[in-house]
Amino acid sequence: MMVLILAVVLIPLLGATINGLFCWFTKRKAHIIAVPAIAIPAIVSLILLARVLQGERFDQVLYWWIPLGDFRVPIGFLLDELSAIMITTVTFVATWIHVYSIGYMDHETPRGYAKYFCYLNLFVFFMLTLCLANNFLLMFVGWEGVGLCSYLLIGYWYEKASAANAGMKAFVVNRIGDFGFMIGLFLIYKHLGTLLFSQAFASAEQLSVGVATLITLLLFTGATGKSAQIPLYVWLPDAMEGPTPVSSLIHAATMVTAGVYMVARTHALFNMAPLSMEVVASIGAATALMAATMALVNNDLKRILAYSTVSQLGYMFVGVGVGVYAAGIFHLFTHAFFKGLMFLTAGSVMHALHGELNLQKMGGLIKKMPITGWTFVVGALAIAGIPPLAGFWSKDEILAGAFMGGHRIIWAVGTFTAFLTAFYMFRLIFLTFFGEPREKHLYDHAHESPPVMTIPLIVLAVGSAVVGLLALAPHGGIVGFLNRTLGEAHEAAGHEGGLTYILMVISVAMGVAGVVLAYFMYMKRMPDPVAMARNFRPVYTLLYNKYYVDEIYFAFIVNPVVGGSRYALWKFVDVIIIDGAVNGVGRLCRLVGGGLRYIQTGFIPDYAWMILVGAVVIYWIGRLF
Amino acid sequence: MGVGLFQYTVLSVLVFLLGALGLMIRRNAIIMFLCMELMLNGVNILFMALARSKGSVEGQVIVLFVMAVAAAEAAIGMAIITSFYRSRGGIGVDRADLMKW
Amino acid sequence: MTGGIDISIRPLLPVVVLTVTAVVVLFVDVFSPRERESHYGYLGVAGIALAAWFALGLWGKGSLTFTQTFITDKLSVLTTLIYLLIAALTFLFSPGYLHHEGRNLGEYYALVLFAVVGLIFMTSAQHLILFFVGLEVLSIALYALAGFVRQRDLCNEAALKYLFLGGFSSSILLLGLAFIYSVTDTLYLRGVASYVVAHGASSTLILGMSLVMVGFFFKISAAPFHAWAPDVYGGAPAPVAGFMATAAKVAVFAVLLRFLDSAVFPLRSHWMAMVTVVSVLSMVIGNFAALRQENIKRMLAYSSIAHAGYALVGVAAASRQGGAAVVFYMLAYSLMNLGAFGVVALVGRQGEGYVNISDYAGLAAKRPVLAAAMAICLFSLAGIPGTAGFMGKFYVFASGVKANQIPLVVIAVINSAVAAYYYLRVVYMMYMEEPKEEYQIVFHPAAVFALLVIVVGIFQLGIIPGGLLSASYSSFAWFTF
Amino acid sequence: MMINAWDVVFFFLAGLILLSALGVVFIRHPVYSALSLLANLCVTAILYLSLMGAPFIAMVQIIVYAGAIMVFFLFVIMLMNLSKGEYQERAVPWRLLLGLGAAALFAFQIFILAGEWRGVLSPGAGGFGVKALSHFIFTRYILAFELVSVLIFVAALGAVALAKKKL
């Protein structure tokens, strides 16, 4: 098993090394190295998953990294239900994104092409390290490593100043989160005397509630940075400057979920700190709502998806925050499929429209690019929570967990966000793929992407459609499987009872309502009755009869929400407060730095004066203590 | 009350501080260097007084070492000042202003 | 009269070899024609290798000789090896650089070798006067080296500033020694400690200790005694700046640990407060001032101030683990800083006209190897995992946590988050900007080899640090803390 | 209280030392400043000789400091042949005040410890001979003594490298 795990981790590193060192040789053939370097681990992960399903576990130290006295940190791997699901997801999605990249990146320079695959493989290596680590320090190595790769990949098109700046912003914001993680890690070491997961969690109960709260909140600070939660989410929308497959892999499917994974992994600590759990759930819910409202008004294809990612990550944090860790991870799992898919379709659209991202210039594309369009619809239905697609199962699991756990407000927010999610996703679909083309020349040049790009779309679409059904597998499905590691959540969150079904119906209704509303708003005004009425006849007729209700609904709810989100949330909260705060800290730092320069007069007598006064100060400090 | 360690220490610290003051207020590199020698001389006075008060010659030995150090510093210092003078045409340390901030 | 002397040549062998090498280099310089000048560096490296071999032979064979003034323990051997490594790398970087400046003289190599002699005496000294003379040997060699390219105005300025401030700070240190002597009657490190144990602390002793520590803090360029560092590193020739920023710092940290442990450990409540304050000031001032620097040498200088602050966290821990962490950190820091200054020396070209961060625009496209080496050094300085810089920082901070210095560690971690910004700005310039003009960088094979050694070292320390960690840990075996 | 004659000598010499030190710091012309330092060193030597019974150190002080180093300084000053404008510094009052302030702070922190310095110095001759000195130098300080040779060599080497006309 050790060999298999090492293979999973090291083969991507090998791929990255080959493409990194020999980029002048591999050039346009880089994918011949890079794709197998990730496909083989994907297959191996499946084998590992199968073995874990049979009850095997692996937790072993390879060698002692820091082997001193009582301060010992190993390099070692932990394979259990949680990490098995994670590596399978990561490698599977990554494989298809690598394949897709072959088509997407074919306009790059040969060396850039090799460099791109090198970074991509390196990223997967760090992500797998993060997931498989059996101690906090190794996890932190992966944690920082994915941040570094993200920086490199966001700034990949560095000719664009915005891309380079976005990369910088991502890295610096991430570092702010990381410092929380690092201090949390130090506190764990201080109070538990170990950084090994197994030992730390086994002795977690010794922690006092206060210390546990502090530690978990610090860890969560790290998670907010990596997983783009309030207040550190600002980098993620900007990160869309990177190549689209990168957005798909890193900023939707894998890296950003690291925070959720980390919280789930450290659930033993979080269980000790109810307050932290509340904070996690509340921040998750607030982020979910806020990001969804911001997605309502955006016209940039990728940014909508980015906000949607932030919002969905919020859901996952709600899940882990209310204690249904397995549900959170389950949503992470399904989200990787449908959000990865949607980003790839967005990339396909961009590819066809020469980089155009403005929704208002699109329309009717489904006729030109049917595979892209329909796979996107599958993804959107999945995220909107329409059964039996993937998103329905996991989102329902989270919302049910929140409701059963007594978090009624969070449940309500989550449910309302589900409505918004469905609405903005279908707004996007209607504006992009349906209706009349608004920019004729763009439309005329549009074309379906080559098979190397569409096949991954189809695979992921099928995945988005069916992976949710794993919830129905025997022995409690995927949730039951994960619970073997994560522990049974609230007893009340069982799947029996009428209440579950009522909740389920409510959330489905919300999703459907969102879709329908989007339809009326964006199709009704520019009807394309032949195509639309055929595709959506039942919904169409149903809502048509309640037209005035919808009108009122629109006037009283959607307009305020849209307007509010535009002016209050997006303009004020996002741009001024949060962006302002994050940028302001940077500006303040530079200002302080500027001020400090002035003590550096370059004049020797001044320096001598500083030394003498410093000597006095140092002496008094020493004397007074 | 005879003259004791106290008076010597005060004297030595005052000489030391006058040297330090010279470094802090003068701009002529050579005079600043003279002030550095003055500081070392101040320390020497203290070591000599300590040798006397402790009845151990060790302080005097240390003074010899300090003198050697002062001589070495003087050699290198004059070389640097000469070199500086050649490149800037003067020895005011306010001419050393290429590097700041 | 002879009973008191225990002369033993073995512990001095590395020093003797270095001195002889220096003299040989000077002789060769006298008798060699100008064209063969670039061979001094290799001659020096050969001498260093021999000295390292002798030093290795001393590992584990502790001794205390010359009337107990000269100690050979694991700490001194380990640090000696570090100095020799630094000097060898400096020698590999220097010939190309000096050749361009028309100053490839035997004196340069001899001065570096003598500086190493001073460093070794400093770390091995058990008597503060021996330490002081060693410090002066180092300082005087460095004054001369800082101004070595004497036709350049910046070098002269750097030498002048370093001379005055260095002299000022060593006078203060000497005054501190006088006060310590006045109280304790001895300048043996152990003697001071036994006096304190027997008689307790007095204010004069604390005064003496703080003045001595001012001297130390000055040499490691810790704030508020840092002001010389940016100007001197900025003006000195790049290989010399690299040498000054690393070797002297390693030595003074080792001496600081030795002094704080052997001599004034009973006063630790006093010096821990001093070290903590200086550490915080250094981190904050170093990092924040570095944010605004346009000149890469000054940026590295400010960053070295910040790094002194990080390493002081380990000193403030006042524990065996902290001491080991500091030594480890210093080696990591030396490697990455030497690499960075080495690249600066190569990119700066003749006269160092290209030392602004904007001059690095597009370096990656034109000189990928050089840019990659620089990027690795900068990532290591920023503390990215997998590199030596991360491991060093982690170990230092962990020792701080263990010693209950949580607020200090929090400040340190925040600072290292801020620091990423200015290191990455250079990486950004190299990789993400268009080249402004053609890079005319003359590759010197020795410099490339040195960069290779540094890069390998950075990764080795970052990924498998075990060996060195245990070595530095065991070098503190006899330490009381 | 009787005034000891030795005390009068001490205060007289101390006054001269401080006066000449003030001269070093405040005289504008470098040559006079250097001469003032020369005076300072000579008076210090007299102090060593008369009150501390250290004739050897006094001689070394005169020969090394006053004889060699000071002549060296004067030589360099003459060599540079500074114009009047070069050594005429404008007095900067705030810099002077800041400097005095720092020095005063430093003096304050030291002088409040005066109670701890209770040693008494018996004035007059009858100190240590050169033999006692050399005993220390060749036992406890032997290594430092050897190192001083390296120090002087390094200083000479550095000075030559920096200042020699053609190299």
Side-chain angles (χ1 to χ4, degrees):
Chain A
M1 206 156 180
M2 164 98 83
V3 177
L4 292 181
I5 290 177
L6 276 180
V8 169
V9 176
L10 292 182
I11 289 177
L13 179 64
L14 187 70
T17 314
I18 293 174
N19 274 331
L21 291 181
F22 304 107
C23 60
W24 44 270
F25 180 71
T26 54
K27 289 188 178 170
R28 299 220 63 87
K29 301 273 179 285
H31 57 265
I32 295 179
I33 306 286
V35 174
I38 183 67
I40 296 170
I43 295 163
V44 177
S45 311
L46 280 173
I47 298 171
L48 286 171
L49 181 64
R51 292 176 66 169
V52 172
L53 266 173
Q54 285 156 16
E56 281 189 59
R57 280 173 69 101
F58 178 89
D59 183 359
Q60 206 171 315
V61 170
L62 254 66
Y63 77 100
W64 290 93
W65 197 8
I66 299 178
L68 296 179
D70 57 342
F71 182 63
R72 292 153 63 89
V73 179
I75 285 188
F77 296 115
L78 166 64
L79 186 74
D80 60 2
E81 289 77 3
L82 180 57
S83 44
I85 289 283
M86 283 300 290
I87 60 168
T88 316
T89 318
V90 169
T91 50
F92 182 80
V93 175
T95 305
W96 291 109
I97 289 173
H98 273 66
V99 172
Y100 176 92
S101 297
I102 299 172
Y104 190 82
M105 302 302 284
D106 63 351
H107 301 311
E108 294 302 311
T109 61
R111 233 181 224 192
Y113 187 76
K115 200 169 78 178
Y116 170 84
F117 276 107
C118 164
Y119 290 163
L120 222 51
N121 274 350
L122 192 66
F123 166 77
V124 174
F125 161 70
F126 279 123
M127 188 68 201
L128 293 171
T129 309
L130 194 164
C131 296
L132 283 168
N134 78 340
N135 64 76
F136 281 101
L137 187 60
L138 191 58
M139 187 188 206
F140 186 74
V141 169
W143 185 269
E144 285 263 303
V146 290
L148 180 66
C149 292
S150 159
Y151 160 73
L152 293 171
L153 282 165
I154 293 170
Y156 179 76
W157 281 317
Y158 51 79
E159 300 88 357
K160 276 199 295 183
S162 57
N165 285 331
M168 202 82 168
K169 187 172 185 181
F171 194 80
V172 172
V173 172
N174 261 303
R175 289 282 291 210
I176 294 171
D178 292 348
F179 100 80
F181 189 164
M182 192 139 176
I183 292 169
L185 187 152
F186 282 134
L187 286 180
I188 290 169
Y189 167 64
K190 179 164 170 53
H191 288 281
L192 297 175
T194 177
L195 289 173
L196 270 177
F197 288 150
S198 51
Q199 292 173 5
F201 300 153
S203 52
E205 272 149 32
Q206 301 164 4
L207 290 175
S208 69
V209 176
V211 173
T213 308
L214 184 61
I215 289 175
T216 46
L217 283 180
L218 284 167
L219 292 178
F220 181 61
T221 311
T224 55
K226 194 108 313 184
S227 293
Q229 298 295 292
I230 294 173
L232 297 179
Y233 69 86
V234 284
W235 63 272
L236 187 61
D238 285 9
M240 296 303 129
E241 296 288 347
T244 308
V246 169
S247 308
S248 173
L249 177 61
I250 299 186
H251 306 120
T254 57
M255 179 186 94
V256 291
T257 59
V260 183
Y261 167 76
M262 190 260 286
V263 174
R265 173 57 77 200
T266 56
H267 66 277
L269 300 174
F270 276 89
N271 282 340
M272 296 294 300
L275 180 65
S276 302
M277 302 276 281
E278 289 294 330
V279 171
V280 173
S282 312
I283 295 226
T287 311
L289 179 63
M290 185 168 160
T293 52
M294 284 186 293
L296 292 178
V297 293
N298 217 300
N299 274 326
D300 181 308
L301 183 58
K302 280 180 79 180
R303 277 180 184 258
I304 294 177
L305 292 177
Y307 281 122
S308 153
T309 305
V310 174
S311 171
Q312 296 299 309
L313 289 166
Y315 269 112
M316 297 174 207
F317 277 109
V318 169
V320 293
V322 300
V324 284
Y325 299 105
I329 296 296
F330 183 28
H331 194 56
L332 183 163
F333 174 65
T334 57
H335 177 256
F337 285 88
F338 58 71
K339 189 53 66 62
L341 166 65
M342 284 195 280
F343 266 107
L344 292 187
T345 45
S348 181
V349 170
M350 278 174 77
H351 203 66
L353 301 183
H354 306 286
E356 184 56 57
L357 278 170
N358 190 345
L359 295 182
Q360 302 297 349
K361 293 184 178 173
M362 301 174 185
L365 287 173
I366 196 135
K367 276 176 285 181
K368 288 276 190 165
M369 7 186 14
I371 300 177
T372 304
W374 287 115
T375 49
F376 194 99
V377 172
V378 172
L381 287 171
I383 200 175
I386 308 295
L389 298 169
F392 161 74
W393 301 98
S394 52
K395 195 184 283 184
D396 184 59
E397 201 73 52
I398 290 175
L399 291 177
F403 192 83
M404 304 289 186
H407 301 83
R408 301 291 152 88
I409 298 172
I410 287 173
W411 172 81
V413 170
T415 309
F416 180 61
T417 306
F419 161 73
L420 293 178
T421 308
F423 175 78
Y424 67 70
M425 269 303 161
F426 276 84
R427 168 179 173 270
L428 191 158
I429 285 186
F430 291 136
L431 285 176
T432 310
F433 293 108
F434 296 97
E436 286 299 318
R438 279 173 292 270
E439 291 269 330
K440 198 67 182 143
H441 67 278
L442 277 178
Y443 179 78
D444 289 340
H445 289 96
H447 56 85
E448 183 59 278
S449 300
V452 73
M453 288 167 72
T454 50
I455 290 170
L457 296 183
I458 294 167
V459 172
L460 288 175
V462 172
S464 306
V466 302
V467 289
L469 299 174
L470 288 176
L472 301 177
H475 308 299
I478 187 170
V479 173
F481 174 66
L482 283 168
N483 275 340
R484 294 191 345 215
T485 298
L486 297 170
E488 199 65 48
H490 313 290
E491 290 304 314
H495 300 283
E496 278 71 47
L499 190 55
T500 332
Y501 294 107
I502 295 172
L503 293 175
M504 211 179 269
V505 170
I506 292 175
S507 73
V508 173
M510 280 297 184
V512 173
V515 176
V516 170
L517 186 63
Y519 172 73
F520 272 91
M521 282 175 61
Y522 296 100
M523 293 306 293
K524 188 82 174 71
R525 261 187 273 160
M526 305 158 265
D528 183 5
V530 187
M532 291 316 296
R534 192 175 61 242
N535 291 330
F536 285 90
R537 188 177 304 280
V539 185
Y540 181 84
T541 42
L542 177 71
L543 281 180
Y544 186 78
N545 295 330
K546 297 183 176 176
Y547 182 74
Y548 294 104
V549 179
D550 288 323
E551 191 73 359
I552 291 162
Y553 194 50
F554 184 74
F556 281 91
I557 298 176
V558 179
N559 256 348
V561 168
V562 170
S565 70
R566 183 190 298 269
Y567 293 107
L569 285 173
W570 182 63
K571 278 268 159 59
F572 183 69
V573 178
D574 185 40
V575 173
I576 295 179
I577 298 200
I578 298 196
D579 231 23
V582 172
N583 292 336
V585 169
R587 212 165 291 143
L588 184 73
C589 288
R590 289 175 64 80
L591 209 66
V592 172
L596 279 175
R597 296 196 323 165
Y598 291 101
I599 61 174
Q600 195 78 20
T601 54
F603 191 48
I604 296 171
D606 291 352
Y607 293 177
W609 187 85
M610 274 167 68
I611 292 174
L612 200 69
V613 173
V616 175
V617 171
I618 287 298
Y619 167 67
W620 282 107
I621 287 167
R623 184 139 178 233
L624 295 178
F625 278 88
Chain B
M1 185 195 94
V3 171
L5 190 55
F6 169 64
Q7 282 83 353
Y8 277 94
T9 312
V10 170
L11 175 66
S12 99
V13 169
L14 282 180
V15 173
F16 182 89
L17 281 177
L18 277 172
L21 183 66
L23 266 169
M24 291 186 290
I25 63 175
R26 294 305 298 259
R27 275 181 294 169
N28 184 318
I30 290 187
I31 292 181
M32 287 168 74
F33 206 88
L34 297 178
C35 291
M36 256 164 64
E37 298 292 333
L38 201 57
M39 289 169 79
L40 289 177
N41 196 37
V43 180
N44 276 351
I45 294 172
L46 183 52
F47 270 118
M48 290 300 288
L50 289 172
R52 186 73 178 177
S53 77
K54 289 178 192 303
S56 156
V57 79
E58 191 169 6
Q60 297 193 10
V61 179
I62 294 170
V63 168
L64 280 179
F65 282 102
V66 175
M67 282 180 191
V69 166
E73 272 189 3
I76 196 81
M78 286 305 115
I80 287 171
I81 290 173
T82 314
S83 178
F84 184 79
Y85 174 75
R86 279 195 196 136
S87 79
R88 303 287 167 90
I91 53 167
V93 294
D94 47 353
R95 287 168 191 262
D97 58 352
L98 293 175
M99 281 283 166
K100 55 184 172 185
W101 298 324
Chain C
M1 188 139 287
T2 50
I5 321 172
D6 41 352
I7 290 173
S8 154
I9 201 70
R10 255 189 79 83
L12 285 183
L13 272 178
V15 179
V16 171
V17 169
L18 289 174
T19 314
V20 170
T21 313
V23 175
V24 167
V25 167
L26 288 173
F27 262 98
V28 172
D29 187 22
V30 169
F31 293 112
S32 71
R34 282 282 100 143
E35 304 84 62
R36 299 182 57 80
E37 56 190 6
S38 65
H39 294 277
Y40 308 144
Y42 306 120
L43 192 58
V45 172
I48 288 170
L50 188 62
W53 188 72
F54 282 125
L56 266 177
L58 295 171
W59 179 258
K61 299 192 188 76
S63 67
L64 184 57
T65 47
F66 294 96
T67 57
Q68 307 188 342
T69 54
F70 192 86
I71 192 167
T72 310
D73 57 357
K74 286 188 172 178
L75 177 67
S76 73
V77 175
L78 186 62
T79 48
T80 299
L81 291 171
I82 296 177
Y83 311 145
L84 294 174
L85 176 68
I86 292 171
L89 290 172
T90 307
F91 279 2
L92 293 177
F93 281 125
S94 300
Y97 179 90
L98 292 173
H99 188 77
H100 275 294
E101 306 291 339
R103 293 285 287 166
N104 196 6
L105 305 172
E107 280 90 339
Y108 175 88
Y109 301 95
L111 282 169
V112 172
L113 289 169
F114 281 129
V116 175
V117 170
L119 291 166
I120 294 175
F121 272 105
M122 279 164 70
T123 25
S124 286
Q126 277 292 87
H127 190 277
L128 284 164
I129 290 300
L130 183 58
F131 157 74
F132 180 73
V133 179
L135 179 73
E136 283 299 320
V137 171
L138 168 75
S139 303
I140 284 173
L142 289 184
Y143 301 152
L145 285 170
F148 199 79
V149 184
R150 62 183 185 187
Q151 64 271 35
R152 196 187 302 156
D153 288 354
L154 282 175
C155 280
N156 285 314
E157 181 171 332
L160 192 76
K161 285 181 175 171
Y162 198 30
L163 168 75
F164 278 121
L165 298 166
F168 189 66
S169 78
S170 49
S171 304
I172 291 178
L173 187 146
L174 196 60
L175 186 68
L177 293 187
F179 280 119
I180 290 179
Y181 181 70
S182 83
V183 176
T184 61
D185 255 4
T186 178
L187 283 173
Y188 279 111
L189 294 175
R190 290 282 171 195
V192 175
S194 30
Y195 175 88
V196 181
V197 170
H199 300 92
S202 69
S203 297
T204 310
L205 187 61
I206 296 171
L207 175 72
M209 178 182 82
S210 66
L211 294 181
V212 170
M213 282 172 69
V214 167
F216 292 146
F217 288 146
F218 175 86
K219 283 283 173 205
I220 58 175
S221 67
F225 314 102
H226 67 286
W228 60 278
D231 294 8
V232 174
Y233 295 171
V240 175
F243 182 76
M244 286 202 287
T246 55
K249 213 170 262 196
V250 179
V252 178
F253 263 106
V255 175
L256 182 64
L257 286 168
R258 212 189 260 292
F259 175 75
L260 294 180
D261 170 72
S262 307
V264 293
F265 192 64
L267 302 176
R268 74 178 166 287
S269 63
H270 302 283
W271 58 254
M272 274 168 80
M274 297 182 201
V275 171
T276 308
V277 169
V278 170
S279 165
V280 171
L281 280 176
S282 306
M283 288 187 285
V284 172
I285 291 181
N287 273 325
F288 282 74
L291 290 176
R292 290 292 288 266
Q293 293 303 318
E294 295 304 322
N295 179 321
I296 194 162
K297 285 167 82 184
R298 289 178 72 80
M299 187 276 272
L300 287 172
Y302 278 114
S303 106
S304 88
I305 295 168
H307 280 277
Y310 301 139
L312 282 174
V313 173
V315 178
S319 65
R320 182 178 176 186
Q321 191 188 323
V326 171
V327 172
F328 181 85
Y329 190 82
M330 277 295 116
L331 177 57
Y333 161 85
S334 301
L335 284 176
M336 55 215 194
N337 236 24
L338 271 177
F341 274 110
V343 174
V344 171
L346 285 172
V347 175
R349 281 164 276 175
Q350 191 182 358
E352 288 189 7
Y354 299 85
V355 288
N356 281 336
I357 292 174
S358 54
D359 294 326
Y360 284 72
L363 186 67
K366 299 289 174 192
R367 287 280 181 271
V369 177
L370 210 55
M374 185 70 168
I376 289 166
C377 290
L378 290 170
F379 281 142
S380 181
L381 283 164
I384 305 285
T387 59
F390 170 75
M391 198 34 83
K393 249 180 216 161
F394 180 81
Y395 197 31
V396 167
F397 294 170
S399 71
V401 169
K402 193 103 192 265
N404 245 332
Q405 299 270 16
I406 307 278
L408 184 59
V409 172
V410 170
I411 292 170
V413 174
I414 293 174
N415 264 290
S416 55
V418 172
Y421 176 77
Y422 57 83
Y423 295 121
L424 285 182
R425 207 153 68 91
V426 181
V427 177
Y428 170 99
M429 270 291 164
M430 293 192 302
Y431 280 85
M432 302 186 176
E433 290 276 322
E434 284 301 307
K436 281 198 306 195
E437 54 183 306
E438 197 54 44
Y439 281 97
Q440 298 154 326
I441 295 166
V442 183
F443 264 110
H444 206 273
V448 176
F449 176 71
L451 281 178
L452 187 72
V453 169
I454 286 168
V455 167
V456 170
I458 285 174
F459 281 123
Q460 140 107 49
L461 291 186
I463 295 166
I464 31 175
L468 186 80
L469 272 179
S470 0
S472 60
Y473 195 62
S474 71
S475 68
F476 287 85
W478 54 269
F479 265 46
T480 47
F481 54 54
Chain D
M1 199 172 86
M2 257 195 35
I3 296 180
N4 191 331
W6 286 114
D7 292 358
V8 176
V9 175
F10 171 78
F11 284 114
F12 177 68
L13 291 175
L16 279 182
I17 287 172
L18 288 176
L19 201 65
S20 56
L22 279 170
V24 177
V25 178
F26 289 104
I27 290 176
R28 288 212 176 148
H29 197 293
V31 172
Y32 297 134
S33 183
L35 289 175
S36 187
L37 180 62
L38 184 60
N40 180 288
L41 296 171
C42 289
V43 178
T44 315
I46 294 169
L47 182 75
Y48 296 164
L49 184 67
S50 60
L51 288 169
M52 295 180 176
F56 181 71
I57 301 291
M59 290 317 289
V60 174
Q61 172 104 345
I62 298 279
I63 294 169
V64 173
Y65 253 132
I69 301 180
M70 289 314 302
V71 169
F72 184 40
F73 282 151
L74 286 170
F75 183 73
V76 171
I77 295 169
M78 307 287 183
L79 183 83
M80 288 179 186
N81 191 17
L82 297 172
S83 62
K84 203 168 162 75
E86 183 57 35
Y87 57 76
Q88 282 221 326
E89 305 170 29
R90 277 178 296 113
V92 187
W94 61 266
R95 203 177 288 286
L96 183 65
L97 279 178
L98 278 180
L100 279 173
L105 267 178
F106 197 86
F108 169 74
Q109 78 167 31
I110 291 181
F111 294 151
I112 55 168
L113 307 178
E116 293 185 4
W117 308 325
R118 282 183 292 269
V120 178
L121 273 73
S122 56
F128 308 96
V130 182
K131 198 173 173 190
L133 262 170
S134 58
H135 174 72
F136 258 106
I137 287 178
F138 291 107
T139 56
R140 185 177 293 175
Y141 290 97
I142 181 151
L143 209 50
F145 187 70
E146 296 300 329
L147 192 55
V148 163
S149 62
V150 175
L151 176 73
I152 302 287
F153 185 70
V154 170
L157 187 65
V160 168
L162 289 183
K164 192 163 174 280
K165 262 269 191 288
K166 276 187 85 170
L167 202 68

